[in-house]
Amino acid sequence: MNSRWLPSAALLTAALLGLAACSSTSGGATGDKAALIEVRIPEDGNSGLLALAKKDGSLDAALAEVNAKVVWTGTAGAFAPAAQQLDAGALDFAQGSITSATAALAASPGFKLFAAVAPDALGEGILVKNDSGITTVKDLVGKKVAVWHGGTSEYLLLKALKQNDIPADQVERVYLQPNQAAPVFNSGQVHAWSTWGTYSVPQLADRNARFLVNGGQVGSENYAVWTVRTKFADAHPAVVKALYEYLHASGLKLQADPGAYLNVKTASGPEAVSAAQREIQIPFDKARGVAEPITEADLNRFHTVAQFFADQQIIKGFFDVKPYLIDVTTLPGSAG
């Protein structure tokens, strides 16, 4: 009886060995591909660190060291919608300001902070028209100022008012999405616009607007922060560290040669940085910081911002961001 089954057993063994051999080649490659960790992150559009990263593939190369790859999710914008995507599990990483991150965390803490960039002293501030007659912050009393709720622009306006002992209710805040504010400002429907570099540079380049005050002049502690979805950070700490290391190294390169990061995709059309904009953007970029680990001193500044937002009733009470910080220096790195 056993002799009748021997040929079949031998054939079965041979078949299994054949499958194993296939698995070590084509099957193994398929398994490796499926195991790649997808890193969903928005790009910078036509200019910026991530714009070049997408074009030259350098971020993919860096993440390959930790078995990960980039999945670009569109162009980065205001942080509030990105925070919602992080909370919903539709995005893994995003950059914002500590002001917008604090407000978002207070509402729905689904992400953590792992890197910080020093406040942009030159590129963000309160814009006014050259012919507006507004020469001091006190001239804003009774005027309308465009702001984006709970983030950089509202923070800068409130800091400027506080610095000049002006009650916040003496200036009318007109809440607009950042990409809606330019036509409202240019048409004169608001008297000023509190904003950041993405939107200030085109206005300054048109020579029809100027900063009433900039971030440095109001003592801004509005750090830029890099955020990661909490569940992603817990599952893939080495990827978080690899992305941090890339951001830090690339930030130093951008600081040294900002022009290489402008007009990455095209030098013409609506996305293009004009010669006049380039003239303004390059000094701003040279003066900006790069991604660094978050220190205790940074945390103290974050808490100063959180307390300020609480005092100004932007958020309901002081929000402690410490539980939502990652010490990137302690994360494991690539095994290679």
Side-chain angles (χ1 to χ4, degrees):
M1 179 177 177
N2 289 338
S3 62
R4 289 186 303 174
W5 289 96
L6 283 174
S8 297
L11 288 171
L12 178 60
T13 300
L16 289 173
L17 288 172
L19 286 172
C22 290
S23 296
S24 66
T25 54
S26 61
T30 301
D32 289 344
K33 184 176 181 181
L36 279 174
I37 302 161
E38 291 190 347
V39 178
R40 295 167 299 177
I41 186 170
E43 62 172 294
D44 283 336
N46 190 37
S47 298
L49 189 154
L50 293 182
L52 188 58
K54 182 179 181 182
K55 181 179 180 179
D56 65 14
S58 55
L59 180 54
D60 260 326
L63 293 182
E65 296 294 320
V66 287
N67 202 40
K69 67 173 183 178
V70 184
V71 175
W72 300 103
T73 63
T75 305
F79 182 71
Q84 293 174 347
Q85 289 182 293
L86 289 167
D87 285 339
L91 193 64
D92 298 314
F93 291 92
Q95 186 183 30
S97 63
I98 189 57
T99 46
S100 55
T102 298
L105 281 170
S108 184
F111 60 90
K112 291 187 176 181
L113 320 179
F114 67 93
V117 180
D120 182 4
L122 302 181
E124 57 187 36
I126 302 173
L127 292 169
V128 294
K129 292 290 188 63
N130 290 336
D131 60 359
S132 66
I134 299 173
T135 58
T136 70
V137 174
K138 292 184 178 180
D139 293 332
L140 294 177
V141 172
K143 302 291 196 303
K144 296 179 179 179
V145 181
V147 297
W148 172 242
H149 182 65
T152 295
S153 60
E154 190 164 27
Y155 170 79
L156 292 170
L157 173 62
L158 293 172
K159 280 284 287 185
L161 297 180
K162 179 73 172 177
Q163 187 181 63
N164 287 271
D165 298 318
I166 301 169
D169 61 5
Q170 290 191 14
V171 175
E172 182 179 347
R173 281 168 271 176
V174 178
Y175 292 113
L176 296 169
Q177 293 187 22
N179 59 359
Q180 296 175 332
V184 176
F185 174 69
N186 290 327
S187 67
Q189 296 177 66
V190 294
H191 303 92
W193 178 15
S194 185
T195 191
W196 59 93
T198 302
Y199 303 99
S200 68
V201 169
Q203 295 292 324
L204 295 169
D206 285 345
R207 313 291 184 186
N208 193 35
R210 58 182 169 79
F211 274 137
L212 179 63
V213 285
N214 61 28
Q217 291 169 325
V218 301
S220 171
E221 294 182 293
N222 185 37
Y223 279 68
V225 290
W226 276 97
T227 66
V228 56
R229 183 167 57 87
T230 300
K231 289 183 179 179
F232 185 97
D234 292 343
H236 309 295
V239 177
V240 178
K241 185 159 190 174
L243 178 59
Y244 162 75
E245 290 173 345
Y246 178 86
L247 293 171
H248 176 79
S250 297
L252 291 173
K253 293 176 183 178
L254 187 154
Q255 203 176 52
D257 183 17
Y261 293 80
L262 300 177
N263 289 336
V264 170
K265 294 189 296 185
T266 178
S268 61
E271 284 188 279
V273 175
S274 68
Q277 290 172 2
R278 182 185 178 92
E279 186 180 321
I280 294 168
Q281 186 72 59
I282 286 179
F284 284 3
D285 286 344
K286 280 184 174 290
R288 293 188 69 177
V290 301
E292 302 282 0
I294 298 171
T295 66
E296 191 69 26
D298 296 331
L299 175 60
N300 291 336
R301 295 184 183 98
F302 294 174
H303 280 168
T304 299
V305 170
Q307 187 60 60
F308 180 75
F309 260 21
D311 293 342
Q312 297 292 327
Q313 299 182 335
I314 303 300
I315 58 176
K316 295 179 180 179
F318 172 78
F319 185 83
D320 183 3
V321 300
K322 187 172 184 178
Y324 304 97
L325 302 185
I326 295 174
D327 183 355
V328 75
T329 65
T330 66
L331 298 179
S334 168

